[in-house]
Amino acid sequence: MAQPTLAVVGATGSVGTVMLELLSSRRNVWGEIRLLATARSAGKELSCRGERLTVRELTPEAFDGVDVAMFDVPDDVSREWAPIATARGVTVVDNSAAFRMDPDVPLVVPEVNKDALRDRPRNIVSNANCTVMAMMMAIAPLHREYGLRELVLASYQAASGAGQVGVDTLHDQLSKVAGDRSLGSRPGNVRQAVGDDLGPFSAPLALNVVPWSGALEPLGWSSEELKLRNESRKILELQALKVSATCVRVPVVTGHSIAVHAVFGSEVTADGARQALRGAPGVILVDDPEAGEFPMPIDAVGTDPSWVGRIRRAMDDPRALDLFVTGDNMRKGAALNTLQIAELIAAEMK
C-alpha cells in the first residue's frame, strides 16, 4: 500500500515550522506532504524533507486525497475546518484547545495513553496543552507507581507560548532595558522604559514575572490554569483528581517549567520516584543539586524530552513529592506530540 498523504494546516506558523523540521528529521512514513495556510501565505515555498513545497490555500478541496491532517491554527479556525476535513475522510490531529474536552475526541499523549486513540467517533484527536504535556511526562509514571490524588502546580511559561509575537515582544523589551542598571530598583521605571508596547502580555515581561496566562474564567481563574486541571483529569482518566494551579509568564524565550507538588495514595520516596522516572519514555532526569544540575529551559530548548529534577519527599506528608519539570513547548509541547499521534494513525493504515 502507498504511504499515506499528510496535510500540515498552519504550516507557516511558529509551530508549523517546527513540524516541518521534525518531518525532515524523523523516520519517513508519509507519501505526499501538503502544506496549507491562509490565502495570505499561499504561494510561499517552504523546505521539508529536502524538497521545496509550495503552500496551498486552505480550501475544502485541498483535503481531497489526504489521509491525516495536523492542525496548528487558532481554536476558531480548527472548529470551522476540522469537520470540513473529516467530512472528506481525513483524520485530524488538532493542536488547538477547540476539541480537547469534547467527550468524543481523545486527548492523547502517546507515552501515557495511546490506547485512547482507538476510540475517535469524530475522527479528530486532540493534542494536550503544552504545559500539561511537559508535566504529564513526569506525572504519569509516578501515578502508575503510587496512585495520584492531588496536584498543586505553579507554571513558569515562556514567551513563545503566546506565539511569535510573544517572542518578538520579549526581545524588543529586553533591548529597551539593556544597559540601564537602575531599572527594577524603583516603582514604575521598568514600565516607563518598556512603554506601552506590551504585545500579548498584560504587563512588561522583561525584568518581571506576570502571574497571568490565558483568558479570565469564573472565580478569578485563568483559562491556562483550568486547562492544567481539566486536561490532566482527562488524560489520566481521574475525574476526581484535585488540581490547583497558578500560571505565571516569565522572561524565557522557549521552554515551559512547572513546580509540582503531587500527593499520592501511597507512601513515596525520592529515590523510588527517581527510579520510576529514570526508565520512563520521554523523560530526562537532571537532579544533582550539589553539582548545580537542575532542569532548566535554556538546556531543554530544542530537545524532545521533559527534563525532571529537584525531587524531594514533602517534609510534612510521606505521600507527597515536590519536583520541577521543564520542556520545550514548541516541540513535545506542540509539534512533536502532534506528529507522534499522526505517525500512530499512519501505522494503522498499513
Side-chain angles (χ1 to χ4, degrees):
M1 182 182 167
Q3 289 179 308
T5 296
L6 175 72
V8 181
V9 183
T12 55
S14 52
V15 172
T17 302
V18 180
M19 285 177 175
L20 300 191
E21 289 174 13
L22 290 169
L23 283 165
S24 301
S25 62
R26 289 173 70 81
R27 186 170 67 86
N28 184 38
V29 301
W30 305 104
E32 180 191 351
I33 293 179
R34 291 185 200 171
L35 310 185
L36 307 179
T38 60
R40 192 177 68 245
S41 296
K44 282 185 179 176
E45 282 199 348
L46 299 174
S47 182
C48 182
R49 299 190 301 184
E51 306 171 62
R52 297 295 292 174
L53 301 180
T54 302
V55 177
R56 303 190 197 185
E57 183 179 352
L58 179 59
T59 64
E61 295 72 28
F63 291 108
D64 289 343
V66 170
D67 297 295
V68 181
M70 302 194 300
F71 276 53
D72 184 68
V73 290
D75 295 3
D76 57 337
V77 179
S78 279
R79 284 192 198 97
E80 179 183 356
W81 284 94
I84 293 170
T86 57
R88 291 179 178 251
V90 180
T91 301
V92 169
V93 186
D94 182 42
N95 189 41
S96 82
F99 304 102
R100 287 179 189 152
M101 300 316 297
D102 185 322
D104 290 330
V105 175
L107 182 63
V108 176
V109 181
E111 295 89 344
V112 178
N113 66 333
K114 72 177 179 183
D115 288 349
L117 263 179
R118 291 184 194 140
D119 184 23
R120 44 178 195 266
R122 298 188 62 180
N123 222 15
I124 300 170
V125 182
S126 269
N127 203 34
N129 168 270
C130 44
T131 316
V132 174
M133 194 95 62
M135 176 193 69
M136 194 54 58
M137 300 301 291
I139 284 299
L142 296 173
H143 167 54
R144 282 193 289 269
E145 194 73 24
Y146 300 112
L148 185 64
R149 296 288 184 270
E150 185 175 342
L151 289 169
V152 180
L153 309 167
S155 74
Y156 304 79
Q157 294 178 218
S160 58
Q164 188 59 43
V165 64
V167 176
D168 292 341
T169 298
L170 175 58
H171 279 300
D172 289 346
Q173 291 182 1
L174 289 171
S175 296
K176 290 175 181 175
V177 302
D180 186 345
R181 297 193 176 198
S182 70
L183 292 177
S185 58
R186 291 194 305 278
N189 66 358
V190 172
R191 288 184 184 273
Q192 192 172 9
V194 166
D196 296 330
D197 185 11
L198 301 177
F201 310 118
S202 52
L205 195 57
L207 305 183
N208 196 26
V209 296
V210 182
W212 186 260
S213 183
L216 181 62
E217 298 286 348
L219 303 175
W221 296 97
S222 80
S223 57
E224 289 285 308
E225 290 159 353
L226 296 188
K227 286 174 189 175
L228 279 162
R229 181 174 190 260
N230 298 336
E231 294 181 29
S232 295
R233 288 175 157 197
K234 184 172 180 177
I235 292 165
L236 295 173
E237 298 182 1
L238 293 173
Q239 286 310 307
L241 180 67
K242 296 179 181 179
V243 183
S244 188
T246 301
C247 288
V248 182
R249 194 70 77 175
V250 295
V252 168
V253 173
T254 296
H256 289 349
S257 305
I258 313 99
V260 180
H261 177 81
V263 182
F264 298 92
S266 57
E267 190 166 326
V268 295
T269 66
D271 284 341
R274 289 188 194 97
Q275 197 59 38
L277 291 166
R278 201 169 272 120
V283 170
I284 286 183
L285 198 60
V286 187
D287 195 15
D288 190 351
E290 285 185 13
E293 292 181 1
F294 316 109
M296 293 180 287
I298 57 166
D299 300 316
V301 66
T303 71
D304 294 337
S306 282
W307 295 44
V308 187
R310 293 297 327 277
I311 297 168
R312 296 144 285 155
R313 186 164 87 163
M315 297 180 78
D316 302 310
D317 186 347
R319 299 171 303 118
L321 280 175
D322 289 276
L323 57 144
F324 195 81
V325 185
T326 192
D328 187 321
N329 51 296
M330 307 295 282
R331 290 179 73 90
K332 181 58 179 173
L336 175 62
N337 202 74
T338 307
L339 184 53
Q340 286 175 306
I341 295 168
E343 288 171 349
L344 289 172
I345 295 166
E348 295 174 5
M349 297 177 174
K350 286 182 179 175

